[in-house]
Structure formats: structure tokens, C-alpha cells
Amino acid sequence: MENEELLRELSIKNDKKIVLLIIDGVGGIPLNGATELESAHKPNLDKLAEMSSCGTIIPVEIGITPGSGPAHLAIFGYDPLKYHIGRGILEALGIGILVEKNDLAVRGNFATINEKGIIVDRRAGRISTEKNIEICKYLSDRIRQIDDVKVEIFPGKEHRFVVLLKGDNLRDELSDADPQKDGLPLKYASALVKEAKNTEIVVNKFINMANENLEKYFPANSVLLRGFSKHPDIPSMGELFKLNPAAIAQYPMYRGLAQIVGMKILDVGAEIGEIFECLENNWKNYDFFYIHIKKTDSFGEDGDFKEKVKMIEKLDKFIPEILKLNPDVFAVTSDHSTPSSMKAHSWHPNPFLLYSPYEIRDEIKRFTERECAKGILGRFYSKDVMRLLLANALKLKKFGA
């Protein structure tokens, strides 16, 4: 029996509250002897670890570096090797775009390209969201249709945007038009099956047209496209786990992913404190809360060790705001690690803590990679997190006679 079918059979409804806090990319590797978590002054997270059971989680498989989509999906209780959800559909749903069955959604980055055709900054210096809106409107006025395919362009946050292609027989079996690293040439999409050849042609025409029109918007003078995807067929958390879940996430991709698995997307402002105000204001309405913190991952990708440390310390001050609500189960972890020294996602296991009256406390004193690795929960897969959360909330009935 598959994991999700087992949980569908055993899960029950009750009034206990679960909070899952995902600190995106928080894990790291030592720089001058310490990771970002080890360097941060975070008394509240450390105290919470002391009151909890700890361990580490593997997002997909040992040695496999995950994208944010599969890494989150696993923590939500779904097998990331079974469900492949493209970044495009996540980003599109996250910013409130209506995606129809035949539409193809694409995640885009504005990027900086030099005179030799080399991508020198995949994020165009993280341009402001206001500038992004301006650029997307400019492109939308100039690229409305390619061949028989309608083109719609939507701004996201900072350098991110979404392209929605509307037409017949569009396919998502395309390679990413993104070199994934700075210092490499501009890359075009390639069809992975012969049926996607016409879609490849449309996508690559879009890239050329966009680049031609972006010369005046340096450093956002090029586009990178990835995550070609259509709307997936996936059971909801309500169906599988009998939960009434809500998501508090500020960035579109994570809101999109939460929407796909059936969470209610709560409105939240841009400041970190507004996340916890939103939690308190909606506490009575839901029994599962997914809270997402993005900036730890952003600073990791930028290679900014000090700012990542500061972001951990900033978040730490708000941990009491969750505890005062007295959740029955409170878990803190990450979807993946993003070491500042690597400037990218990595395969390293994520620190994990579980605060519950039914767990055996271990001897862990700090919420860090090395400390959690000594914890009583050991090392396990992210897809098993949901079973632990449900069990500790007494939301699973006995298996068998």
C-alpha cells in the first residue's frame, strides 16, 4: 500500500492544531568552522529544540539536490518521485492566474546578459517588483501572439515572472531554457519528445522577441524560462489526511504549491511580522497551518552568509508568537539546504524538530545541523514528516486488528 493510500485509510478528523514552519534553505555547511544556524543567536529556536524531538530529513533521496517544488511536496506527504509538478504552474497559481486545461505555464527570470551572449546574473540584480511590473507591461504590449499561440505575461516578485501560452496541442516536455548558473551562454528550450517540437519553436521565438525588446532595461536585458508545466492531477490534503489546511506564504511559487494540494491561501503582507499576525487572526478557522519563510534561501543563493544569519535571528524573535497559540503539534524544518558557500540548493539533510506532548525529548540543546543529526528521530525522508505530524495530533487511527 502506498504512503498516501495508507494515510487516506487511517486519517481521522479532530480539533487538534498542527503548525509546520518551513524556513526555506536554512541548512548550510560550515564557513570558518560554523554554519549559518550555528553562527546565529537564536535563543527561541534553541529552547524549542531543547523541548522537542529532533532529527534530519532527506528531501528526495540521498545525494539528490531537490527543487523547491518536490522538496515541499514531500513534506506535505506526497511522493516527489510520483508527482512531478513544474515550476511554471506553481508560480502561475501563486499569483492568482487562472490556468485552463490546455494552457502551458512557464516560470521566468529576468536576467543580465553581456555583449558576448553570456548570462552574468540570472536574477538581474534582483530588480524591484515595481520595475518588474513595468517591464512585464512593456513586453505584454509587444508580444501578444506567436504563430497561433496567445501569449500572456504576468509579473511576480523581484526578478520573477510568468508566461502563459494559450493554444492547441501545447506540450510541457521541454528542457529548461536556463543555464542554471552564471557565466554560461544563453540557453534555448529543446523538445524532449517529437510532439513538443512546435511548442519548442514558439518558446524560443518568445525568448528572441523578449531579448530584442529588453535592451533598454539593463540589467534586466534577457529572460530565462523553466518549469514548463500544465495543471496537475493530484489529490488534496483534505481528501488524503482529513485536514482543513491553510498556507501563509508571501512568494507566489509556494502559494501555488499549497493551492495545488488543497490549502486555503491566506492573505498576508510583505513584512515578516505580518506572517504571525495572519496566523493568530486565522487560528480558529483551520487545523493545519503551513508557514513559509523565504529570505533565508534568497540570501543563501546570493552567497550572503551574514544576511542569512541575520534573517535566522530576525525570525527567531517571532517563535514565541506561535507558541503562545499553544499548537498541539509544531514542526520546524526546511524544504532543502542552501549553503551560502555554494550559492545554490544542495543535497544535505535538513534539521528537523517536532514539538509535541507525545514525543520523547532527546538531549539536543540547539537547533543546528550537527545537533539535530544526533536527535532521537534520526535521519528519515521528508515524505514521512506528515505521518509524524498526524500521529502526534492523534489524527491517525490504529492499523489492523
Side-chain angles (χ1 to χ4, degrees):
M1 181 181 294
E2 291 186 359
N3 180 57
E4 64 186 58
E5 292 307 314
L6 178 64
L7 292 179
R8 189 197 296 266
E9 178 181 309
L10 297 181
S11 59
I12 58 174
K13 186 78 175 172
N14 64 26
D15 59 0
K16 294 188 180 297
K17 307 275 189 178
I18 300 171
V19 176
L20 171 63
L21 172 61
I22 295 185
I23 313 172
D24 204 313
V26 75
I29 55 179
L31 182 65
N32 297 323
T35 69
E36 296 93 337
L37 275 172
E38 291 171 335
S39 301
H41 177 66
K42 49 181 193 345
N44 293 309
L45 279 168
D46 290 342
K47 181 63 175 177
L48 183 63
E50 191 174 351
M51 299 187 298
S52 304
S53 298
C54 297
T56 59
I57 56 174
I58 301 168
V60 179
E61 292 288 350
I62 292 173
I64 302 300
T65 297
S68 297
H72 270 81
L73 202 62
I75 295 176
F76 295 157
Y78 299 83
D79 186 347
L81 298 178
K82 177 180 178 180
Y83 295 104
H84 298 277
I85 302 177
R87 189 91 178 216
I89 187 67
L90 299 179
E91 202 82 13
L93 295 175
I95 60 176
I97 300 171
L98 175 63
V99 182
E100 298 179 334
K101 182 179 180 181
N102 293 327
D103 295 347
L104 181 65
V106 190
R107 156 75 185 271
N109 277 20
F110 288 114
T112 308
I113 191 170
N114 68 16
E115 65 281 358
K116 296 180 180 180
I118 302 298
I119 299 295
V120 296
D121 185 347
R122 291 182 61 254
R123 301 176 183 87
R126 293 192 185 275
I127 58 172
S128 69
T129 300
E130 291 72 24
K131 178 58 70 173
N132 183 342
I133 294 170
E134 177 187 338
I135 297 173
C136 284
K137 184 179 186 309
Y138 181 82
L139 288 180
S140 294
D141 291 341
R142 287 156 179 79
I143 311 175
R144 297 178 181 273
Q145 187 160 325
I146 299 174
D147 299 336
D148 58 350
V149 175
K150 183 180 178 182
V151 179
E152 297 180 354
I153 305 169
F154 302 89
K157 283 184 176 289
E158 299 173 336
H159 56 282
R160 306 170 183 88
F161 65 95
V162 172
V163 180
L164 195 65
L165 302 178
K166 304 177 78 69
D168 295 329
N169 302 315
L170 292 170
R171 302 294 292 255
D172 57 7
E173 298 98 333
L174 298 174
S175 67
D176 288 345
D178 181 351
Q180 299 288 345
K181 291 183 179 180
D182 293 340
L184 296 175
L186 178 70
K187 186 178 179 182
Y188 289 93
S190 296
L192 301 178
V193 297
K194 64 180 181 179
E195 293 83 359
K197 188 64 180 178
N198 287 338
T199 309
E200 171 199 300
I201 292 170
V202 171
V203 167
N204 291 337
K205 282 183 179 181
F206 173 83
I207 293 172
N208 287 333
M209 294 172 71
N211 287 349
E212 290 169 3
N213 281 282
L214 287 173
E215 290 183 0
K216 73 174 192 174
Y217 280 108
F218 183 89
N221 63 344
S222 187
V223 296
L224 308 176
L225 303 180
R226 58 191 172 111
F228 300 92
S229 49
K230 294 192 162 188
H231 212 299
D233 182 18
I234 184 170
S236 72
M237 294 177 73
E239 294 175 77
L240 292 181
F241 314 135
K242 313 296 191 297
L243 292 172
N244 180 23
I248 306 175
Q250 295 168 319
Y251 278 69
M253 200 217 81
Y254 310 96
R255 296 165 67 88
L257 181 58
Q259 184 177 338
I260 282 176
V261 298
M263 294 191 204
K264 172 68 175 178
I265 309 303
L266 303 181
D267 292 331
V268 61
E271 298 300 321
I272 187 170
E274 294 177 279
I275 290 174
F276 303 97
E277 290 177 10
C278 180
L279 176 66
E280 183 173 5
N281 292 339
N282 289 277
W283 186 248
K284 295 180 180 179
N285 301 326
Y286 305 93
D287 57 10
F288 180 96
F289 292 90
Y290 154 57
I291 302 173
H292 180 261
I293 304 296
K294 173 62 178 172
K295 285 297 185 179
T296 36
D297 178 58
S298 301
F299 290 129
E301 289 182 334
D302 290 345
D304 198 330
F305 188 98
K306 290 182 179 180
E307 287 301 319
K308 185 175 173 183
V309 169
K310 288 180 183 178
M311 188 62 213
I312 294 168
E313 293 175 342
K314 186 175 184 179
L315 166 65
D316 186 73
K317 294 179 173 62
F318 291 96
I319 296 300
E321 297 300 309
I322 298 177
L323 291 174
K324 76 178 185 182
L325 297 172
N326 195 29
D328 297 284
V329 180
F330 180 20
V332 181
T333 189
S334 181
D335 53 337
H336 56 77
S337 293
T338 308
S340 302
S341 57
M342 295 179 67
K343 297 184 179 181
H345 295 192
S346 77
W347 60 91
H348 298 91
N350 303 309
F352 177 87
L353 70 78
L354 179 60
Y355 175 73
S356 157
Y358 302 109
E359 280 295 325
I360 301 172
R361 294 182 185 176
D362 43 37
E363 302 300 318
I364 303 306
K365 303 297 184 184
R366 300 183 67 204
F367 182 66
T368 68
E369 299 87 349
R370 281 182 271 214
E371 282 292 290
C372 285
K374 304 172 188 175
I376 196 168
L377 295 176
R379 181 175 294 182
F380 59 103
Y381 289 100
S382 294
K383 66 181 181 180
D384 296 327
V385 165
M386 185 57 68
R387 285 210 299 264
L388 274 179
L389 302 184
L390 293 171
N392 278 274
L394 306 182
K395 292 179 183 288
L396 294 180
K397 62 186 178 182
K398 181 173 68 173
F399 175 71

